[in-house]
Amino acid sequence: MASEINVGQMRVLVTGASGLIGKAIEHVVYHEGGKRDGEEWIFISSKDGDLTDLGQTKAVFEKFRPTHVIHLAAKVGGLFIHLKENLRFLRENILINDNVLQTAHETGVTKVVSCLSSCIFPDKTTYPIDETMIHDGPPHESNFGYSHAKRIIDIQNRAYFQQHGRCYTSVIPTNVFGPFDNFTAENGHVLSAVIGKTYKAKQEGTQVNVCGTGNPRRQFTYSLDLGRIIIWALREYKEVEPIIASVGVDEEITIKEAVHMIAESLDFKGKIHYDTTMSDGQMRKTASNGKLKCYLPDFTFTPVNEAVKMTCDWFVANYDIANK
Ligand code: NAP
Ligand code: GFB
């Protein structure tokens, strides 16, 4: 399925722009020359309107009148908040996505790029996973609420194309990290949570407690790299079907390797303790970026150790404003 897109005068609304990926897109647009002539970019957060509420969503679209939308707004978090709040992840994300996509359609938005996640793929599968496999079996139990809500975006995109010819599409990131992440121990994803915990342990001269065995494997993608890909997708990617936006399968590392990169970046010399009573979550979800590489053969990802170092440096330099 491919649709014609009219790129020229664009008023781009970025929902969820105060978060990790929104901040990365804002950086690319304003500090890497990402903004082109004829483009206007609008970055909004929940302060501009609660997108779980249809009336507030309509008011946001009436106020900003976008022609294009990058839809990032979502209830997001690491493994441990998912384990506690599957229902909330399911309901809030279903509401946000339905309100945004339907309002975009009703107000004539030409293109929407939404974010899925590699955790939504079937848990029992063959590797590497690719874009054709999203609906092939149940997702991992730890985040089934979020995963089903995200899968429905893909169904909605196909339905908006079938019934209305809309080019509403999605990208599928793997684990993302970078400046402006959620560094809290309770709700953060692994890299940001462990950065926050390691920094604190260094200040207090204590050990770092890492959850689980450290054996699960993840593909970690730097938020700035993802921001560049999402902007490309908004302008150039014409398929309704999703595209995996991630470092390649060869870049996959264990949690333990990631923790060691953090310790090195923060110059932490203390003890690292693995609490094996805590969940490992999904052991792997290795995803192929082969489709992306066909479209963008020259795209280079920031090596994970360099990106971890830059994120640690950002955290230390911005400790006062970081969400920790
Ligand atoms: P994030 O840092 O948690 O930011 C979430 C954003 O959504 C914030 O701007 C937040 O606004 C907004 N938001 C939440 N609830 C809202 C509501 N009811 N109404 C309006 N806005 C609301 O998330 P992120 O990591 O940047 O993720 C962006 C997108 O990428 C999400 O769709 C996520 O599912 C997807 N994704 C993320 C990862 C990852 O590893 N982080 C991986 C794969 C996919 P406030 O700041 O005002 O609350
Ligand atoms: O990033 P994360 O929370 O989520 O990573 P997922 C979880 C993995 O890191 C598990 C280990 O193996 C944990 O045992 N881990 C170690 C920690 N220490 C910590 C810690 O302090 N905090 C956290 N959070 N983990 C998420 C999904 O899965 O992937 C989301 O739940 C989202 O839906 C995201 O899509 C991209 O990679 O397991």
Side-chain angles (χ1 to χ4, degrees):
M1 282 184 273
S3 161
E4 285 309 305
I5 306 155
N6 187 10
V7 181
Q9 288 294 112
M10 299 207 309
R11 193 175 308 117
V12 186
L13 179 71
V14 183
T15 71
S18 54
L20 166 68
I21 298 168
K23 283 288 183 187
I25 291 175
E26 191 176 11
H27 180 89
V28 176
V29 167
Y30 290 126
H31 302 291
E32 290 186 6
K35 184 173 178 299
R36 293 185 183 164
D37 288 348
E39 289 180 2
E40 184 186 343
W41 287 77
I42 301 147
F43 295 89
I44 62 165
S45 73
S46 67
K47 291 199 182 77
D48 296 281
D50 178 355
L51 299 175
T52 62
D53 181 279
L54 181 58
Q56 293 189 43
T57 308
K58 285 186 170 175
V60 162
F61 277 72
E62 270 162 33
K63 180 173 177 190
F64 296 114
R65 302 204 161 275
T67 57
H68 293 65
V69 172
I70 294 177
H71 172 41
L72 306 174
K75 176 160 174 62
V76 180
L79 169 66
F80 294 99
I81 178 132
H82 280 275
L83 288 171
K84 286 190 282 195
E85 296 190 10
N86 264 297
L87 178 63
R88 196 166 159 208
F89 275 91
L90 177 73
R91 293 195 66 234
E92 283 189 25
N93 285 315
I94 286 177
L95 287 170
I96 290 174
N97 299 333
D98 190 49
N99 289 340
V100 167
L101 291 174
Q102 179 60 16
T103 308
H105 166 62
E106 285 173 5
T107 58
V109 170
T110 319
K111 178 137 187 207
V112 180
V113 179
S114 300
C115 263
L116 311 186
S117 172
S118 60
C119 68
I120 78 172
F121 283 108
D123 183 41
K124 299 203 174 9
T125 188
T126 52
Y127 300 104
I129 304 162
D130 70 42
E131 292 84 353
T132 65
M133 297 157 77
I134 297 179
H135 306 284
D136 285 356
H140 192 259
E141 197 53 26
S142 60
N143 49 210
F144 69 91
Y146 175 86
S147 295
H148 282 293
K150 289 281 180 187
R151 283 183 181 192
I152 293 171
I153 293 182
D154 178 54
I155 305 287
Q156 289 171 304
N157 286 344
R158 289 196 270 147
Y160 279 107
F161 179 75
Q162 188 204 60
Q163 216 169 312
H164 301 293
R166 291 285 184 212
C167 184
Y168 295 174
T169 190
S170 59
V171 298
I172 310 179
T174 47
N175 287 59
V176 188
F177 69 101
F180 298 99
D181 209 346
N182 176 346
F183 293 88
T184 65
E186 301 74 31
N187 299 342
H189 288 96
V190 57
L191 275 187
S192 46
V194 174
I195 289 172
K197 290 198 282 193
T198 306
Y199 182 82
K200 193 159 173 249
K202 187 177 168 186
Q203 303 301 309
E204 296 173 357
T206 58
Q207 67 177 21
V208 174
N209 293 310
V210 176
C211 313
T213 61
N215 294 330
R217 303 178 68 79
R218 296 288 184 270
Q219 285 157 285
F220 292 105
T221 301
Y222 190 42
S223 58
L224 273 295
D225 293 337
L226 179 60
R228 293 168 195 129
I229 295 169
I230 292 174
I231 293 171
W232 163 80
L234 182 78
R235 293 188 179 124
E236 312 288 347
Y237 183 63
K238 295 186 171 62
E239 294 184 40
V240 171
E241 287 81 7
I243 183 164
I244 292 171
S246 168
V247 298
V249 295
D250 295 342
E251 316 305 318
E252 187 180 57
I253 59 172
T254 62
I255 299 296
K256 211 171 264 179
E257 287 170 306
V259 169
H260 282 282
M261 283 177 196
I262 293 169
E264 196 176 316
S265 297
L266 289 174
D267 194 28
F268 176 76
K269 304 261 194 278
K271 183 175 175 216
I272 299 170
H273 170 69
Y274 288 87
D275 182 350
T276 54
T277 64
M278 295 188 73
S279 174
D280 269 337
Q282 204 165 1
M283 291 312 285
R284 64 185 289 207
K285 39 188 169 179
T286 319
S288 165
N289 68 359
K291 183 175 180 180
L292 182 77
K293 282 292 184 188
C294 283
Y295 275 103
L296 295 175
D298 300 327
F299 189 88
T300 52
F301 285 92
T302 312
V304 64
N305 59 331
E306 286 176 28
V308 166
K309 173 75 177 130
M310 288 192 279
T311 305
C312 288
D313 289 350
W314 182 90
F315 180 72
V316 174
N318 295 277
Y319 190 74
D320 290 346
I321 60 152
N323 180 9
K324 56 194 180 290

